[in-house]
Amino acid sequence: MNPEIAILWGGAIATLGVYTILYRENPVSRLFEHIFVGLSAGYLIVFIWTQNLEGRWWKPMIHEGRWYWVFAPVVGLLFYFIYSRRLLWLARLVMGLFFGIAAGYFFRTFFPIYSPQIYACFKPLRADPQIGWSDVVLHNWLFVIILFTVLSYFFFSVSHEGRFGRTLGRSALLGRWFLMIAFGAMFGNTVMARISLFIGRVQFLLSDWIGSFIPWFAGRGV
Amino acid sequence: MAEPRAGFWQRLQQIPRYYVYLLMAAVVIWQILFPIPLPIAPSSATQGVYDAISAVPDDKLILISTDWDASTNAETGPQTEAIVHACLQNDKRFAIMNLHPPMGVKLANDIAEQVAEQYGAEYGVDWCNWGYKYGFANVLIAMAKNIPKTIGDDFYGTPVAELSMMQGVEDIESIGLVIEITGLATITETWIGLIQGVYGTPFASAYTAVMAPGYYPFLDSGQMQGMLVGAKGAAEMEALVTRPAKASVIMNVQSWAHVLIILLIVIGNLGFVLARGPRGQGAP
């Protein structure tokens, strides 16, 4: 059998098998789910070896005389001392190292990631020759109002009583509405993404799979 | 005693989900087989990606980080294809690489090979594949200082330093634009925190529609030059490179699927309101 035909049929059967979940939870869907997870895990192991360890660790150690690379996995294996009460401190050594790296990484990346976004919150609220009134009102004022009302929603230290508290409460309510609109937009994008994936699979089933034995379907939807 | 039969408006709120799935499948199949084309207008976010590609100086590379796998192929696959078209149409050299998940590097390689063939572009001269490089932040930190040493071998096992297009490519200064294509959160933060924010390397992105809303602040702040949002962004890029393909079909079908969803929402809500009656009687 032509391997390409076998791959097409395998893909089609797997797609239909996974979609049987739409009827209800069943062993066929589970089977293909497990196959997918197993394939991904196997693929990851092979790629870590062929694209990384083989070239950057194994070859230098075996063929280029860098024998000291043999100690690299030893450091990694220290993690397994988490199962020994007596030698747990060895695992803690390597964990401490990783905590330190993670903390340093977070500290280093925090400002480059977030400071430009904080600067971008300072927007001109008066029109000038470069920015027309419509832009200022539609974009900048709206942005600043949403920014303050949403921030006030997350300001929990003042009870919503008294004149200031009630004003804060109204602002927080408005902020909650803006958040709901944002969540609605996010959910709309989620629906779009899920339907895109479904359309992609139907394209495959119609054009590639059915198209392989009924030529009229081939090329449709591509 | 038998339950009283639900009224018409109540039954509208209880349409079995199988019928919804079947209706959705019917609309999708109908539009794939007999499409009613709708116009696609590129957004400013998509235009930003295209402009960023065309603005890359000729002596610099475009680095495309293809951090996606088969599960998001319907969105990220066409995005990758349209971006490769844009690079080759603008005579820009590009390199593919992958931080995670590793499947993306193979899928993107297949796409790049197919598109490169259409333009007569040659591997190692016009484009190359740096392969899957494990280590996230460590890879980027090291790559910023020394690309050939950090990357080592390409996807096929050839040292990248031996590829003709890599002559003169030393560090992050040799990269004119980074394009991140992904369905995974946090990889963008790694690129921006360690490369764009530190060295000022221009950055653009292509995301699955699910995760895109969270990244608009990066676009607004100018940290990103542009962004492709899901299949919509891919279809818009296909329109810009005048190569309508898979994403254009997806978006056409998608528009009709959305019409169905809106209709179902309206019907469900209409049923809810009318089943209550004028004073809220009959509410479930």
Side-chain angles (χ1 to χ4, degrees):
Chain A
M1 189 184 199
N2 183 346
E4 282 189 12
I5 298 291
I7 291 167
L8 272 181
W9 276 84
I13 290 166
T15 302
L16 294 172
V18 168
Y19 271 126
T20 57
I21 190 78
L22 293 177
Y23 176 62
R24 67 176 176 209
E25 178 72 41
N26 67 78
V28 177
S29 161
R30 280 270 159 192
L31 172 72
F32 285 106
E33 206 176 295
H34 291 156
I35 288 173
F36 184 73
V37 172
L39 276 173
S40 297
Y43 194 89
L44 181 70
I45 292 167
V46 170
F47 260 59
I48 283 182
W49 179 260
T50 57
Q51 302 269 301
N52 291 275
L53 292 177
E54 191 181 17
R56 292 200 285 182
W57 175 68
W58 183 255
K59 278 184 186 168
M61 184 175 68
I62 301 297
H63 304 296
E64 295 167 18
R66 296 185 194 170
W67 55 269
Y68 44 85
W69 277 114
V70 76
F71 295 111
V74 175
V75 179
L77 289 171
L78 291 180
F79 271 114
Y80 286 97
F81 282 108
I82 198 166
Y83 298 111
S84 161
R85 281 189 182 178
R86 198 165 59 86
L87 296 171
L88 179 63
W89 63 276
L90 284 168
R92 282 188 182 145
L93 272 182
V94 70
M95 276 182 202
L97 180 74
F98 274 78
F99 284 148
I101 291 170
Y105 162 75
F106 184 76
F107 190 77
R108 181 176 170 180
T109 57
F110 183 85
F111 293 101
I113 292 172
Y114 296 108
S115 53
Q117 291 174 33
I118 296 168
Y119 303 150
C121 293
F122 295 87
K123 293 181 183 292
L125 297 177
R126 288 180 65 181
D128 61 28
Q130 272 87 42
I131 318 167
W133 269 111
S134 57
D135 269 350
V136 168
V137 174
L138 278 177
H139 297 131
N140 297 1
W141 271 98
L142 190 65
F143 178 89
V144 171
I145 290 168
I146 293 173
L147 177 72
F148 278 108
T149 52
V150 170
L151 279 176
S152 66
Y153 175 75
F154 290 102
F155 193 65
F156 302 120
S157 305
V158 175
S159 70
H160 293 172
E161 289 168 4
R163 181 182 278 185
F164 177 71
R166 277 199 299 275
T167 309
L168 187 72
R170 287 189 198 109
S171 171
L173 183 67
L174 196 58
R176 197 171 75 181
W177 275 97
F178 286 133
L179 281 170
M180 290 300 164
I181 292 167
F183 294 149
M186 284 183 183
F187 183 68
N189 265 289
T190 305
V191 170
M192 185 166 89
R194 299 292 177 251
I195 293 175
S196 294
L197 302 184
F198 175 62
I199 296 168
R201 284 292 82 198
V202 177
Q203 276 179 325
F204 165 75
L205 289 174
L206 290 178
S207 305
D208 299 348
W209 179 51
I210 298 180
S212 70
F213 50 87
I214 305 177
W216 185 79
F217 284 92
R220 289 197 176 255
V222 179
Chain B
M1 193 176 151
E3 288 262 327
R5 213 169 150 218
F8 175 73
W9 299 115
Q10 275 176 329
R11 274 184 286 151
L12 274 186
Q13 300 168 62
Q14 296 155 1
I15 299 172
R17 67 177 198 279
Y18 311 115
Y19 293 149
V20 175
Y21 295 151
L22 282 173
L23 268 174
M24 180 59 72
V27 167
V28 167
I29 292 169
W30 164 52
Q31 272 306 303
I32 286 178
L33 296 180
F34 307 103
I36 301 171
L38 296 169
I40 294 168
S43 63
S44 59
T46 303
Q47 186 70 50
V49 178
Y50 186 84
D51 292 346
I53 291 170
S54 51
V56 172
D58 289 342
D59 60 334
K60 294 195 176 191
L61 290 184
I62 295 173
L63 177 55
I64 306 174
S65 189
T66 56
D67 302 314
W68 54 273
D69 65 4
S71 64
T72 61
N73 192 15
E75 292 180 287
T76 46
Q79 284 174 343
T80 307
E81 188 173 336
I83 285 169
V84 170
H85 271 296
C87 292
L88 292 173
Q89 280 185 6
N90 285 284
D91 289 326
K92 306 296 177 193
R93 294 169 304 147
F94 67 92
I96 293 170
M97 76 173 290
N98 172 260
L99 294 171
H100 193 77
M103 210 180 276
V105 77
K106 169 76 174 87
L107 295 170
N109 195 70
D110 292 348
I111 290 169
E113 269 181 354
Q114 282 172 13
V115 177
E117 203 180 322
Q118 295 172 30
Y119 293 87
E122 201 180 325
Y123 184 85
V125 178
D126 303 298
W127 73 283
C128 65
N129 186 344
W130 291 354
Y132 164 59
K133 299 300 162 196
Y134 183 76
F136 286 103
N138 302 330
V139 174
L140 299 194
I141 291 168
M143 202 178 77
K145 310 279 184 205
N146 190 333
I147 289 174
K149 193 176 171 189
T150 308
I151 300 303
D153 298 344
D154 73 353
F155 182 69
Y156 300 105
T158 310
V160 289
E162 291 178 9
L163 301 174
S164 70
M165 67 176 281
M166 292 295 288
Q167 303 312 308
V169 173
E170 290 170 3
D171 53 24
I172 200 67
E173 296 300 323
S174 310
I175 305 295
L177 174 69
V178 173
I179 305 176
E180 167 70 12
I181 306 171
T182 190
L184 289 175
T186 76
I187 296 183
T188 291
E189 282 84 342
T190 312
W191 275 108
I192 287 179
L194 296 172
I195 302 293
Q196 188 275 335
V198 178
Y199 300 97
T201 311
F203 184 85
S205 59
Y207 298 128
T208 53
V210 177
M211 61 180 286
Y215 286 93
Y216 275 103
F218 289 90
L219 195 62
D220 189 45
S221 64
Q223 289 163 291
M224 276 181 200
Q225 310 282 310
M227 178 165 77
L228 302 189
V229 179
K232 177 177 170 286
E236 290 171 358
M237 190 56 119
E238 285 177 358
L240 282 173
V241 297
T242 58
R243 296 277 178 146
K246 217 167 188 174
S248 302
V249 176
I250 288 179
M251 277 323 292
N252 200 50
V253 178
Q254 183 114 43
S255 301
W256 291 100
H258 286 184
V259 169
L260 173 67
I261 290 173
I262 292 167
L263 271 176
L264 289 170
I265 291 171
V266 169
I267 288 171
N269 279 281
L270 205 64
F272 176 72
V273 172
L274 292 177
R276 281 198 311 182
R279 290 182 190 168
Q281 301 103 326

